[in-house]
Amino acid sequence: MASQEMEQLVRRDYKEGFVTDIESETVPPGLDESTIAFISNKKGEPEWMLEWRLKAYHQWLKMKTPSWAHLDYPPIDYQSISYYSAPKRDEDRPQSLDEVDPKLLETYEKLGIPLHERAALAGVAVDAVFDSVSVTTTFKDKLHEAGVIFCSISEAIRDYPELIKQYLGTVVPVADNYFAALNSAVFTDGSFVFVPEGVTCPMELSTYFRINAANTGQFERTLIICEKRAQVSYLEGCTAPMRDENQLHAAVVELVALEDAYIKYSTVQNWYPGDEDGKGGIYNFVTKRGDCRGDRSRISWTQVETGSAITWKYPSCVLRGRDSIGEFYSVAVTNGRQQADTGTKMIHIGEGTRSSIISKGISAGRSNQSYRGLVKIGPRAKGARNFTQCDSLLIGDTCGAHTFPYQEIGNSTATVEHEATTSKIGEDQLFYCQSRGISEEDAVSMIVNGFCKDVFQELPMEFAVEAEALLSVTLEGAVG
Amino acid sequence: MSDVQSDVTRFLERLAERRAERAANGPEPTWIAARRQAGAARFEALGFPTRRDEAWKYTDVRAIARGEFGLAQDAEFSKASAAALTLPIDAHRLTFVDGVFAPALSQLDDLPTGVHLLPLSQALAENHEAVGGPLGRLTGVEFSPFSALNTAFMEEGAVLRLAPGCVVEKPIILQFLSRNGSQPVMSHPRILIEAGGRSEARVIEHHVGEQEAANFTNLVEEIMLDRGAILTHYKLQEAPIADLHVASIHVEQARDAHYTSFNLNLGGGLVRNDLISELNGQGATANFYGLFYGQGRQHVDNHTLANHNAPLTFSNENYKGILDDRAHGVFNGKVVVKRDSQKIEGYQSNANLLLSDRAEIDAKPELEIYADDVKCSHGTTTGQLDADAVFALRTRGIDEQTARGLLTLAFAGEVLEEVDLDAIAERVELAVAGKLPERFNLAGLVEAAVALGDE
Amino acid sequence: MLEVKDLHVTVEGSEILKGLSLTINAGEVHAIMGPNGAGKSTLSAVIAGKEGYEVTSGSITFEGKDVLEMEVEERALAGMLLGFQYPVEIPGVKNIYLLKAALNAKRAANGQDDIPAPEFMKLIKDKIAQMKMDSSFLQRAVNEGFSGGEKKRNEILQMLVLEPKLAMLDEIDSGLDIDAMRVVADGVNSLRDQDRAILLVTHYQRLLDYIVPDRVHVLVDGRIVKSGDAELAKQLESRGYDWVVEESAA
């Protein structure tokens, strides 16, 4: 086992727990039309965007919080949340890493993510979001050369209004669900990616999200479009500082793949899960959906979910194009008092569409975790196929692992297979490792990593390493 | 949309009429009146479920809610037509016609010692206190609007008590006949089974009726198995195609009690079954086997739940569905393992075949687990017949459609293999073969094979 | 009866049969022998019509008809029956259903009515007794849970009931002990008839002690490199395949 991992195993506190002291320009808590007008104005948005937001807001007012998830949390007071915060020097934002506030860079150092080094070494362009405003975007030139647009959604609204009008809200409609409607009304930032016809994005695109200012909900909005035969791999990673109040995060991610396009979206999520009693963790209510609009298009979601007090997240694929492919690979680890209700939806509309779902859930401590998935085969989806493998591992006798798969099948030529197992780490496996001199905790970590192998191999290289390390950190204290 | 409130009111009016009729027959024990009242109040508060209720997500009960159902006043049924419908099995038998007890069609005279089998009305008349304890213990009015409605109307049904150690040789048939009358009727039968320690029995619940009948049966069953009791429960549902059928079966199993259910659904226009077993003692084992075949516009919804409330309990489930035409099938199986219920095993398997593109299956196999030392798994497949098997049959000169027919029959056969009463297995196999589309060319084949087997 | 001309077959892109020619006349028993991987099983699978085998050139005719144009079941009904090396397990399909459906399909193809039940039962009982099988097997699912020997007996039983013109037996001797081998061989021998041809595919000569072939062919690398009478099989047994390979290369 790598010494770095060992070191992380020894640490007991939340590794990313600290608060950066940067003055924020924050609106007072509360949400009404004027808050939305304020956000829109701050972002320098055109009138039509404000109207779009207000429409979403009015829809949201009519909606109810979903209650079907296997989650238990006190009602959220949406009027106690502040919907906008930006670093003070908003007007003269840094244009390159050199111009970035050194304090911010320091923050990244603490996170163990030396941004410039990492960017240079891995060839990754980073659109780093600090609170709600994009601070820097690197490698813009190289991307520009390839014709790839990679910028903040706010910039895109100003600079590419036609693309935004054409695609925003077409995958996740404003009234799709309670949190999506809220996001549509108040989103403050996020990424925009556009890969034109025939272009393979020359590098993996990556965004690090952070939640910072106290009481600030973060409402990211991401839109990725791949035109015909275009390809992109997008990486999303998240950390958050320790905090006592619960923080709400309700992002919306929309992916559009046209004919023969391929979008790979990978996430490593390790937001603050709360203390031993579950106090202070992030509430993560995310709507992620990909639309395989073109024939033979492919969208692949890979996620490693180790953080947050509450996770409500179902990255989905709408398989509209003929022979299009949807994939979902997920590892979710819960410990302490964490609760996760996560899974996917594969909606087969077109002929010959295929999907596969591999979900690995690990529950420890007093946590509860549910896989919730839908596979729907429409009447026209001739020859559609789905395979789902859904495995749960329980560590200790005070946690819970649940599986709620829905299958709705309306075509006789479809083949849908679902398998699920629930088990614990075998005592013989543990004994075998321990008899080779491996500590119990390391043995657990090894076995769990093996359990998740099928998913980890879908992750881009540098993410896979990070994910394995995260797993060990998350499971600290789960045994013995 | 119909007026939801008026639907509820219509059922409550019918209830009030019935209450008045009963009052004319003299006083009844207060506890039963109170329970009916509680059922009515609960039903009124809940109303009929809608598809917004998770448990009814795939099943629309408006056909029931909007129905104008009377209550049968007698149990008249021609002996000849009853005989044609009755299972040709040497058995003890209780028969109900549209929910009304039919002594003339029952067979109760050679009950062995230790076996008490009688209609609920009689059990209440003879010793209502003995019934008051167990009745409603497993199915409260909270379970569903239908269980509340059943409680509001409860007055007839079957009571079976087995003394400890009593092993019943012959099967016990509870026969429910549906009659084609001038107005559709509803019935709310109640089945109560109390099996004493190490007792053993086979109960066949048979729903069948006149072809043109279009009645509503709302059944609640409570089955209590004491230590080491063994009960095999066949629910053979061959109701007329326009019948509406809702049933909830609640089983409680003490230590080492074995319950095996065969839920065989062939008939009925709208069918909903809830089968719930509480595994309360070590060694308790529940086997749920199910087969449903839908054609035309039939809708069959099976919900099962195995509650592992104690360590070392076992559940095993295998449900198979075949759906043709515009039929709609639902399978929702759930295994729940309570905290500290260690060393349990829970297996679930569901497989479905769609024979038409307008047929639909909605499957939801669920696991809810709060203990770590468990072995639980479920598998669900909806899909295609084994291509190698189709090939192998074709190399014997069997055309592709017949090969597919044979394999479809075999698909159902995997559940029927577990059936230990040949008469039931053969009857269902014949029925399935008869229902399979003509293109499968199976006509005559199964009959001949059954006849050969009998030789 | 069966004529295979210059047959080339590829499986998943690689060529397995590379110009195989073979003629079998009524009344003859032919044995195809050869080392593993020579393409022995491919030949019978292609004749039976298994998917995944692409005939790139050459022809197969049976009684003058183009076999490659026929559906799988048409081939069986025409009288070509394949005994599988690994008989497929078909859970839930009772043997009696398979036999009856297959026999009636054959009768229908010959313009006959379905076989009357008593006649069918008598036929089956005779054949079962001949194969020394228990009648309870009729109610069991096809090959499910059968031992290797039982599966092979079942293949022969189907041959006895369906009476093909050409019986192709692929490695029918594999996995058999000596007693089962005798029963199987007796079954095959009882099929010998002046109107019927039998094609045996085998790796070992042992089977040919019990079923003496008229012709023996050695298949190496997708071609028949040597043919002879039963004596050739004995030579192969004592000398192995290498000398044939060398001789053909020379």
Side-chain angles (χ1 to χ4, degrees):
Chain A
M1 184 169 277
S3 63
Q4 196 186 339
E5 267 174 74
M6 288 295 287
E7 194 186 321
Q8 277 162 331
L9 271 169
V10 180
R11 295 192 201 169
R12 289 272 155 180
D13 295 326
Y14 179 65
K15 184 175 155 244
E16 327 294 11
F18 51 86
V19 178
T20 311
D21 180 25
I22 293 181
E23 276 182 82
S24 292
E25 186 186 335
T26 303
V27 288
L31 179 58
D32 56 23
E33 289 192 8
S34 67
T35 324
I36 293 164
F38 174 84
I39 293 168
S40 192
N41 181 39
K42 269 277 172 195
K43 295 280 170 192
E45 288 177 356
E47 186 64 24
W48 57 266
M49 197 63 225
L50 175 62
E51 277 166 24
W52 197 87
R53 288 175 179 275
L54 289 172
K55 200 178 122 205
Y57 172 68
H58 290 291
Q59 290 281 355
W60 178 73
L61 287 177
K62 286 184 237 159
M63 297 169 87
K64 279 191 199 145
T65 343
S67 58
W68 40 260
H70 199 277
L71 299 172
D72 184 24
Y73 59 95
I76 297 165
D77 179 2
Y78 292 93
Q79 295 303 333
S80 72
I81 294 168
S82 168
Y83 288 85
Y84 184 83
S85 90
K88 199 178 178 185
R89 282 167 292 147
D90 187 8
E91 302 308 320
D92 51 350
R93 286 194 292 154
Q95 298 306 304
S96 74
L97 274 181
D98 305 336
E99 295 174 38
V100 167
D101 189 326
K103 240 179 183 167
L104 185 60
L105 292 176
E106 210 179 295
T107 304
Y108 287 120
E109 296 292 339
K110 279 195 208 169
L111 280 169
I113 309 159
L115 183 62
H116 51 284
E117 253 186 63
R118 191 189 181 88
L121 284 173
V124 171
V126 177
D127 172 16
V129 175
F130 183 75
D131 272 3
S132 313
V133 171
S134 291
V135 179
T136 183
T137 303
T138 51
F139 295 112
K140 270 206 165 150
D141 293 345
K142 199 168 172 190
L143 292 173
H144 185 76
E145 221 169 274
V148 175
I149 303 169
F150 179 36
C151 62
S152 77
I153 195 94
S154 304
E155 285 174 70
I157 290 167
R158 286 194 302 266
D159 300 345
Y160 310 99
E162 292 315 310
L163 286 174
I164 294 292
K165 277 186 194 167
Q166 191 184 342
Y167 289 106
L168 190 72
T170 63
V171 183
V172 179
V174 290
D176 186 79
N177 67 70
Y178 189 80
F179 301 109
L182 177 63
N183 174 286
S184 300
V186 304
F187 72 85
T188 44
D189 227 318
S191 299
F192 175 78
V193 178
F194 178 83
V195 189
E197 188 169 336
V199 172
T200 296
C201 185
M203 62 191 74
E204 283 178 328
L205 303 179
S206 169
T207 304
Y208 282 84
F209 294 93
R210 286 187 50 82
I211 298 178
N212 207 301
N215 271 331
T216 305
Q218 183 147 353
F219 303 91
E220 297 289 342
R221 187 91 193 187
T222 296
L223 175 60
I224 299 177
I225 301 144
C226 266
E227 287 199 320
K228 291 180 185 176
R229 301 187 311 284
Q231 288 194 24
V232 68
S233 169
Y234 188 88
L235 280 58
E236 171 200 45
C238 316
T239 58
M242 187 179 281
R243 193 153 300 284
D244 277 328
E245 295 88 349
N246 284 309
Q247 291 182 306
L248 176 67
H249 187 93
V252 170
V253 175
E254 296 180 281
L255 311 182
V256 179
L258 302 184
E259 263 171 56
D260 299 295
Y262 175 32
I263 302 176
K264 184 177 173 68
Y265 194 106
S266 312
T267 306
V268 169
Q269 187 268 110
N270 67 333
W271 282 332
Y272 184 53
D275 64 14
E276 274 166 26
D277 298 319
K279 210 177 158 208
I282 301 287
Y283 287 8
N284 188 23
F285 298 94
V286 186
T287 305
K288 287 182 166 175
R289 194 173 304 153
D291 191 352
C292 283
R293 233 167 254 189
D295 294 351
R296 298 169 303 280
S297 56
R298 176 175 167 201
I299 288 178
S300 177
W301 297 101
T302 307
Q303 62 173 26
V304 176
E305 300 280 322
T306 61
S308 295
I310 288 175
T311 302
W312 181 99
K313 184 179 176 190
Y314 316 91
S316 305
C317 296
V318 181
L319 303 168
R320 226 182 283 278
R322 240 180 128 105
D323 300 319
S324 58
I325 298 173
E327 292 162 319
F328 176 74
Y329 303 97
S330 171
V331 164
V333 189
T334 52
N335 199 351
R337 292 259 181 194
Q338 281 179 278
Q339 302 175 62
D341 195 296
T342 183
T344 184
K345 287 193 270 188
M346 293 291 173
I347 313 292
H348 292 255
I349 296 170
E351 265 184 43
T353 47
R354 281 175 291 157
S355 65
S356 47
I357 299 170
I358 309 288
S359 166
K360 305 279 179 177
I362 299 121
S363 312
R366 307 182 70 83
S367 69
N368 262 297
Q369 189 176 131
S370 306
Y371 167 82
R372 187 181 304 276
L374 168 68
V375 174
K376 189 177 174 74
I377 311 281
R380 279 174 303 167
K382 248 183 118 175
R385 292 185 74 93
N386 161 267
F387 176 75
T388 302
Q389 176 77 45
C390 194
D391 297 321
S392 305
L393 196 64
L394 292 132
I395 302 176
D397 56 7
T398 52
C399 52
H402 321 302
T403 316
F404 306 105
Y406 295 68
Q407 296 175 6
E408 302 177 3
I409 301 153
N411 188 295
S412 66
T413 57
T415 304
V416 177
E417 290 172 85
H418 174 100
E419 283 172 27
T421 61
T422 301
S423 55
K424 68 168 193 170
I425 291 181
E427 269 158 33
D428 45 347
Q429 294 172 320
L430 272 182
F431 174 75
Y432 186 86
C433 293
Q434 286 175 276
S435 73
R436 299 293 176 269
I438 299 162
S439 76
E440 189 179 15
E441 204 152 71
D442 285 355
V444 167
S445 173
M446 271 173 63
I447 293 165
V448 169
N449 269 307
F451 176 76
C452 301
K453 189 180 73 258
D454 294 348
V455 174
F456 285 166
Q457 68 192 23
E458 295 296 326
L459 285 169
M461 193 52 181
E462 62 272 32
F463 254 31
V465 174
E466 204 171 306
E468 285 187 29
L470 258 176
L471 216 70
S472 309
V473 175
T474 310
L475 289 174
E476 271 172 28
V479 287
Chain B
M1 253 182 76
S2 88
D3 183 338
V4 175
Q5 196 50 47
S6 76
D7 288 342
V8 170
T9 310
R10 202 168 53 254
F11 280 80
L12 292 174
E13 280 167 6
R14 202 47 43 85
L15 182 64
E17 287 163 29
R18 185 68 193 129
R19 195 184 302 126
E21 284 168 23
R22 269 197 304 259
N25 296 336
E28 285 186 294
T30 48
W31 65 263
I32 194 159
R35 274 192 218 173
R36 287 193 191 117
Q37 190 50 47
R42 186 65 190 159
F43 172 70
E44 189 171 8
L46 290 173
F48 283 101
T50 71
R51 294 190 55 181
R52 284 190 296 275
D53 298 294
E54 181 65 24
W56 298 87
K57 186 176 164 70
Y58 297 113
T59 296
D60 188 337
V61 298
R62 280 179 297 181
I64 295 170
R66 290 173 181 177
E68 302 264 359
F69 300 108
L71 288 162
Q73 299 298 327
D74 59 60
E76 275 170 33
F77 208 92
S78 106
K79 274 216 159 175
S81 38
L85 295 170
T86 300
L87 291 171
I89 295 174
D90 182 22
H92 311 292
R93 189 170 63 241
L94 268 187
T95 299
F96 301 87
V97 175
D98 290 338
V100 180
F101 177 54
L105 302 174
S106 299
Q107 174 60 257
L108 296 168
D109 39 8
D110 56 348
L111 288 175
T113 336
V115 180
H116 297 271
L117 176 64
L118 66 173
L120 176 63
S121 53
Q122 190 190 334
L124 286 169
E126 284 172 3
N127 181 0
H128 73 83
E129 279 159 2
V131 181
L135 195 70
R137 191 161 69 75
L138 299 183
T139 317
V141 297
E142 303 293 325
F143 177 72
S144 82
F146 289 101
S147 72
L149 189 63
N150 174 286
T151 306
F153 277 97
M154 71 176 168
E155 57 179 82
E156 193 52 285
V159 174
L160 171 65
R161 292 197 196 95
L162 302 172
C166 167
V167 175
V168 194
E169 201 75 15
K170 288 193 212 170
I172 294 160
I173 296 181
L174 306 176
Q175 179 171 246
F176 295 87
L177 300 179
S178 181
R179 198 167 41 177
N180 177 23
S182 50
Q183 190 208 358
V185 292
M186 61 178 164
S187 59
H188 302 273
R190 196 89 190 189
I191 296 175
L192 181 63
I193 299 175
E194 290 177 274
R198 293 175 316 286
S199 64
E200 218 176 307
R202 291 175 291 181
V203 172
I204 304 167
E205 184 193 323
H206 189 210
H207 299 269
V208 69
E210 293 177 319
Q211 234 174 4
E212 307 298 317
N215 301 316
F216 166 43
T217 303
N218 178 27
L219 180 71
V220 169
E221 306 182 40
E222 294 173 280
I223 299 172
M224 296 154 207
L225 306 183
D226 210 340
R227 277 190 150 201
I230 299 174
L231 185 79
T232 305
H233 179 188
Y234 296 90
K235 185 170 190 281
L236 178 56
Q237 197 276 106
E238 297 182 299
I241 205 71
D243 256 23
L244 308 162
H245 182 99
V246 176
S248 61
I249 303 162
H250 300 251
V251 187
E252 177 187 68
Q253 296 180 246
R255 193 177 178 127
D256 295 323
H258 283 236
Y259 173 75
T260 301
S261 157
F262 289 96
N263 190 358
L264 308 166
N265 286 282
L266 302 170
L270 170 62
V271 178
R272 164 63 178 250
N273 288 305
D274 279 276
L275 171 60
I276 295 135
S277 191
E278 305 289 341
L279 297 150
N280 290 344
Q282 286 193 10
T285 302
N287 294 306
F288 297 164
Y289 298 106
L291 176 67
F292 51 99
Y293 194 113
Q295 56 188 157
R297 285 179 173 270
Q298 277 182 288
H299 181 105
V300 191
D301 179 346
N302 284 305
H303 271 60
T304 67
L305 170 60
N307 268 322
H308 291 265
N309 302 323
L312 286 162
T313 49
F314 309 96
S315 69
N316 178 39
E317 172 161 34
N318 188 8
Y319 265 65
K320 298 213 154 194
I322 303 173
L323 298 161
D324 197 1
D325 304 328
R326 308 186 71 148
H328 187 176
V330 181
F331 170 77
N332 191 143
K334 188 168 188 174
V335 173
V336 177
V337 181
K338 296 269 156 67
R339 185 134 290 149
D340 299 327
S341 293
Q342 300 292 10
K343 307 228 179 284
I344 73 100
E345 292 179 23
Y347 302 107
Q348 243 185 23
S349 153
N350 164 237
N352 309 295
L353 277 180
L354 299 182
L355 304 182
S356 141
D357 280 348
R358 304 176 101 179
E360 185 181 331
I361 176 78
D362 297 309
K364 192 179 165 206
E366 302 175 80
L367 297 172
E368 201 170 323
I369 295 166
Y370 298 93
D372 64 337
D373 193 1
V374 301
K375 283 186 191 150
C376 285
S377 69
H378 65 217
T380 306
T381 56
T382 294
Q384 311 303 312
L385 298 167
D386 178 5
D388 283 344
V390 173
F391 172 74
L393 290 170
R394 290 175 70 199
T395 65
R396 296 298 173 259
I398 297 168
D399 68 87
E400 179 161 358
Q401 286 299 345
T402 308
R404 291 188 173 277
L406 281 171
L407 291 169
T408 306
L409 191 61
F411 176 82
E414 282 175 53
V415 168
L416 299 176
E417 270 170 24
E418 306 291 333
V419 172
D420 65 350
L421 280 169
D422 290 346
I424 301 239
E426 281 168 14
R427 184 183 177 99
V428 175
E429 188 172 18
L430 274 172
V432 169
K435 282 168 178 283
L436 286 172
E438 238 169 75
R439 62 174 193 267
F440 287 156
N441 308 318
L442 289 187
L445 185 71
V446 178
E447 286 88 337
V450 168
L452 287 171
D454 290 345
E455 212 177 75
Chain C
M1 182 182 273
L2 179 77
E3 196 145 355
V4 180
K5 276 190 193 158
D6 192 30
L7 190 67
H8 291 255
V9 174
T10 59
V11 178
E12 285 169 4
S14 59
E15 190 167 49
I16 306 294
L17 296 184
K18 304 169 179 174
L20 184 144
S21 296
L22 177 68
T23 303
I24 303 179
N25 298 311
E28 294 177 351
V29 175
H30 287 236
I32 292 192
M33 302 184 70
N36 288 326
K40 300 193 297 291
S41 294
T42 300
L43 176 62
S44 48
V46 169
I47 297 173
K50 192 159 173 54
E51 273 179 39
Y53 295 82
E54 198 194 341
V55 177
T56 50
S57 69
S59 67
I60 305 174
T61 52
F62 183 72
E63 296 185 321
K65 284 174 284 188
D66 183 356
V67 171
L68 297 175
E69 285 298 306
M70 295 159 86
E71 292 290 329
V72 176
E73 58 268 31
E74 285 172 358
R75 301 178 195 207
L77 294 175
M80 291 173 279
L81 221 53
L82 171 66
F84 285 66
Q85 180 180 5
Y86 303 107
V88 179
E89 295 193 12
I90 313 178
V93 173
K94 293 174 186 172
N95 279 292
I96 187 135
Y97 289 179
L98 170 82
L99 289 168
K100 193 158 198 295
L103 186 60
N104 281 336
K106 184 189 162 198
R107 290 172 67 102
N110 295 336
Q112 292 171 285
D113 288 339
D114 284 3
I115 186 166
E119 197 183 312
F120 177 66
M121 207 54 209
K122 187 177 175 306
L123 173 76
I124 297 295
K125 279 184 176 159
D126 287 352
K127 302 301 183 191
I128 283 187
Q130 189 184 338
M131 290 310 293
K132 298 190 167 53
M133 294 167 87
D134 191 277
S135 65
S136 70
F137 120 99
L138 287 173
Q139 298 294 337
R140 288 169 65 189
V142 177
N143 293 324
E144 194 185 31
F146 283 25
S147 70
E150 282 178 313
K151 285 181 182 171
K152 294 299 169 71
R153 283 186 206 204
N154 195 18
E155 294 295 287
I156 303 302
L157 176 78
Q158 292 172 11
M159 299 276 170
L160 294 177
V161 172
L162 299 174
E163 300 182 311
K165 292 179 189 158
L166 170 67
M168 299 178 284
L169 302 169
D170 188 5
E171 306 266 355
I172 198 71
D173 51 332
S174 66
L176 293 185
D177 63 28
I178 199 73
D179 291 331
M181 169 98 90
R182 270 204 195 98
V183 174
V184 165
D186 288 350
V188 175
N189 283 327
S190 79
L191 281 167
R192 291 185 85 147
D193 184 291
Q194 58 178 11
D195 296 325
R196 178 175 295 128
I198 296 172
L199 176 63
L200 299 166
V201 173
T202 182
H203 185 71
Y204 299 105
Q205 192 267 341
R206 191 177 64 151
L207 177 72
L208 306 183
D209 288 341
Y210 298 90
I211 310 170
V212 181
D214 301 305
R215 299 288 293 163
V216 173
H217 310 278
V218 182
L219 184 64
V220 176
D221 193 24
R223 283 187 207 92
I224 288 176
V225 295
K226 195 172 179 63
S227 298
D229 58 12
E231 201 50 40
L232 176 60
K234 295 215 164 66
Q235 278 182 288
L236 291 169
E237 177 74 0
S238 54
R239 298 173 63 186
Y241 288 107
D242 292 347
W243 66 276
V244 192
V245 177
E246 282 160 26
E247 198 181 280
S248 69

